């Protein structure tokens, strides 16, 4: 049996096991893709995943700016870094616990980027370098440069940030992903080592290339597969044909299939979350049209179904040139719902529906709109969320990362108030006055 080394050159997967082993792995990936509660369907195909890329990238830029200006501070709690890492950690189950590596552990003095200014600046330079570069070689150069500094406690968990900058070159990283990789390949990759991470990355690229028809150029897909294997959702196939019967792998795979049925409830709950989000978008859409506004639905939500029709039915097919070609256009077209003046290209109101995830991404998109030009500076900005989330929204907006929106008129619109009053507002209302009366200013 050939065992994949923890460090070494790019792997030749034809050397690992026999054709039977490779076919079993192909079958396993196929099972994983079809499982409604596995990461492929619950996270990788999740529309909100892509919407969060730009906001996380922008947040990384803010961390860099604060470090370069000497304004980052000496604590993780309340910092712009905490805001970004929390946004990553809320990317469903695969990133759960992403903030553990960045939490300040005073007894161990790690990670040593809070009390050591030189290390903090080096961390900032790495993020800036990766934000600006575009090639695999440049990314690896930045990683190897910071690895040479041996900053205590600052390891491959940083890859979870770099992934959102370069998803085709850098894989996410956590304990379950490492465990899954080791189980699939027979490697002995260790946590906390950039050298081991880079070797694992080579193996991931080789594995991804071999099964490219089932995976994606975005390394989030294969990372999700390894996560589900490493967390015990699926058993890794034996590394040689001889040990197949002794391992009981077929029986364990059958158990995994049965377990998938139990996870249907979780999948249904996540589907219910998506349904609720779409339903609220439809409420806001219909209300805007009733009030005489032209309505834009987020570009990645336009094809969603609501009551047998596309969510974007009857809405704008294209954004006006002032938005489509202006600053922040990539982010603005992802705002959940926009109301535009009937006879002008001015945005009257922007709505972000925040059902259960972090509010960070939605607020960043609103900020891009408000700062995109004089036409939109006076737009009403509404965070639409469950009644119970108002205190959470207010707490989040008090973070330093949101200091730039303090002067904007961001309002909290509870689901309950919208549901109770939307019919009467549609019938008797004009403009935004009624919405401002049932919402609360939070900035």
């Amino acid at each position: 049996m050939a065992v994949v080394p923890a460090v070494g050159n790019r792997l030749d997967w034809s050397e690992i096991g026999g054709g039977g082993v490779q076919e079993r792995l192909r079958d396993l990936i196929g099972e994983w893709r079809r499982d409604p509660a596995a990461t492929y369907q619950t996270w990788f195909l999740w529309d909100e995943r892509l919407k969060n890329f730009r906001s996380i990238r922008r947040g990384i830029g803010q961390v860099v700016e604060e470090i370069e200006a000497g304004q980052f501070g000496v604590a993780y709690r309340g910092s712009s870094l905490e805001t970004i890492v929390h946004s990553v950690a809320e990317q469903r189950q695969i990133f759960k616990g992403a903030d553990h590596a960045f939490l300040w552990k005073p007894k161990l003095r790690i990670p040593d980027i809070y009390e050591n200014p030189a290390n903090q600046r080096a961390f900032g330079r790495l993020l800036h370098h990766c934000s600006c570069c575009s090639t695999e070689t440049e990314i690896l150069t930045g990683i190897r440069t910071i690895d040479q500094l041996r900053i205590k406690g600052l390891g491959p968990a940083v890859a979870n940030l770099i992934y959102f900058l370069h998803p085709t070159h850098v894989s996410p990283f956590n304990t379950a992903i490492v465990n899954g990789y080791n189980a699939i390949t027979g490697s002995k990759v260790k946590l906390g080592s950039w050298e081991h991470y880079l070797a694992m990355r080579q193996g991931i690229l080789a594995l991804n290339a071999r099964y490219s028809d089932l995976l994606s150029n975005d390394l989030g897909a294969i990372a999700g597969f390894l996560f589900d294997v490493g967390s015990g959702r699926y058993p890794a196939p034996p590394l040689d044909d001889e040990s197949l019967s002794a391992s009981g792998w077929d029986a364990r795979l059958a158990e995994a299939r049965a377990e998938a049925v139990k996870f249907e409830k979780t999948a249904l709950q996540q589907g219910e979350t998506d349904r609720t989000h779409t339903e609220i978008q439809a409420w806001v859409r219909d209300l805007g049209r009733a009030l005489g506004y032209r309505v834009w639905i987020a570009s990645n939500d336009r094809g969603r179904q609501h009551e047998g029709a596309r969510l974007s039915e009857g809405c704008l097919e294209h954004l006006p040139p002032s938005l489509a070609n202006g600053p922040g256009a990539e982010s603005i077209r992802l705002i959940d719902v926009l109301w535009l003046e009937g006879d002008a290209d001015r945005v009257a109101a922007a709505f972000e529906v925040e059902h259960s995830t972090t509010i960070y991404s939605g607020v960043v998109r609103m900020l891009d709109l408000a700062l995109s030009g004089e036409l939109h500076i006076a737009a009403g900005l509404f965070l639409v969320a469950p009644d119970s989330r108002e205190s959470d929204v207010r707490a989040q907006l008090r973070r330093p990362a949101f200091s730039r929106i303090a002067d904007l008129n961001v309002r909290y619109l509870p689901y309950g108030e919208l549901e109770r009053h939307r019919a009467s507002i549609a019938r008797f209302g004009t403009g935004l006055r009624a919405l401002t009366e049932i919402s609360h200013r939070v900035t």
Side-chain angles (χ1 to χ4, degrees), residues 120-153:
Q120 186 179 108
R121 289 192 295 272
F123 174 57
R125 287 195 299 271
L126 170 66
L127 296 181
H128 177 68
H129 173 81
C130 289
S131 297
C132 297
C133 69
S134 58
T135 68
E136 178 183 33
T137 299
E138 290 172 315
I139 297 166
L140 297 182
T141 297
I143 290 174
R144 292 188 179 109
T145 298
I146 200 166
D147 186 34
Q148 291 176 356
L149 299 178
R150 297 291 188 265
I151 298 175
K152 189 176 180 182

Side-chain angles (χ1 to χ4, degrees), residues 121-387:
R121 289 192 295 272
F123 174 57
R125 287 195 299 271
L126 170 66
L127 296 181
H128 177 68
H129 173 81
C130 289
S131 297
C132 297
C133 69
S134 58
T135 68
E136 178 183 33
T137 299
E138 290 172 315
I139 297 166
L140 297 182
T141 297
I143 290 174
R144 292 188 179 109
T145 298
I146 200 166
D147 186 34
Q148 291 176 356
L149 299 178
R150 297 291 188 265
I151 298 175
K152 189 176 180 182
L154 188 70
V158 179
N160 288 330
L161 300 180
I162 303 177
Y163 164 72
F164 286 93
L165 298 172
H166 299 287
T168 61
H169 294 308
V170 176
S171 165
F173 174 89
N174 58 32
T175 302
I177 292 172
V178 170
N179 289 343
Y181 178 79
N182 287 340
I184 290 291
T185 65
S187 298
K188 295 181 180 179
V189 172
K190 297 179 181 179
L191 294 167
S193 166
W194 275 115
E195 181 184 25
H196 279 243
Y197 170 80
L198 293 177
M200 181 180 75
R201 173 187 167 276
Q202 284 188 311
I204 285 175
L205 289 172
L207 180 60
N208 198 63
R210 183 168 190 87
Y211 300 100
S212 59
D213 57 316
L214 295 175
L215 295 166
S216 168
N217 288 337
D218 183 330
L219 297 180
I222 189 170
F225 171 66
L226 296 175
F227 174 88
D228 282 339
V229 172
S231 59
R233 183 168 184 78
Y234 287 103
L239 291 173
D240 57 52
D241 293 328
E242 288 76 14
S243 64
L244 176 62
S245 58
S247 71
W249 182 72
D250 287 334
R252 290 164 59 209
L253 183 56
E255 292 176 4
R257 289 170 178 155
E259 197 67 22
V261 176
K262 297 180 183 179
F263 276 85
E264 288 286 352
K265 182 177 181 181
T266 301
L268 288 173
Q269 289 174 341
Q270 291 178 336
E272 179 67 15
T273 295
D274 293 339
R275 186 201 67 80
T276 302
H277 187 282
T278 301
E279 182 178 34
I280 302 302
Q281 279 178 286
W283 289 359
V284 176
R285 174 201 65 189
D286 294 343
L287 183 55
R289 292 169 61 186
L291 293 173
Y293 294 108
R294 293 177 295 154
V295 177
W296 167 261
I297 297 293
S299 57
N300 65 325
D301 293 334
R302 296 174 57 77
R304 288 189 178 216
Q305 293 292 306
H306 178 70
E307 296 184 347
R310 292 170 63 244
L311 186 60
S312 61
E313 192 77 26
C315 299
L316 290 171
E317 290 295 324
H318 305 282
L319 279 174
S322 62
L323 286 173
N325 303 321
E330 180 185 352
S331 180
I332 294 169
R333 64 170 53 95
L334 293 174
I335 292 176
D336 284 331
V337 184
L338 293 175
W339 290 357
L340 282 78
E341 299 285 358
D343 57 353
D345 288 349
R346 187 190 305 273
V347 173
F351 301 83
E352 276 290 339
V353 180
E354 305 298 340
H355 183 70
S356 59
T357 56
T358 177
I359 67 165
Y360 178 77
S361 296
V363 171
V364 167
R365 289 190 285 272
M366 287 184 171
L367 184 61
D368 283 342
L369 172 68
L371 300 179
S372 65
E374 291 300 320
L375 277 175
H376 317 299
I377 194 68
L381 307 177
F382 295 89
L383 287 169
V384 190
D387 300 41

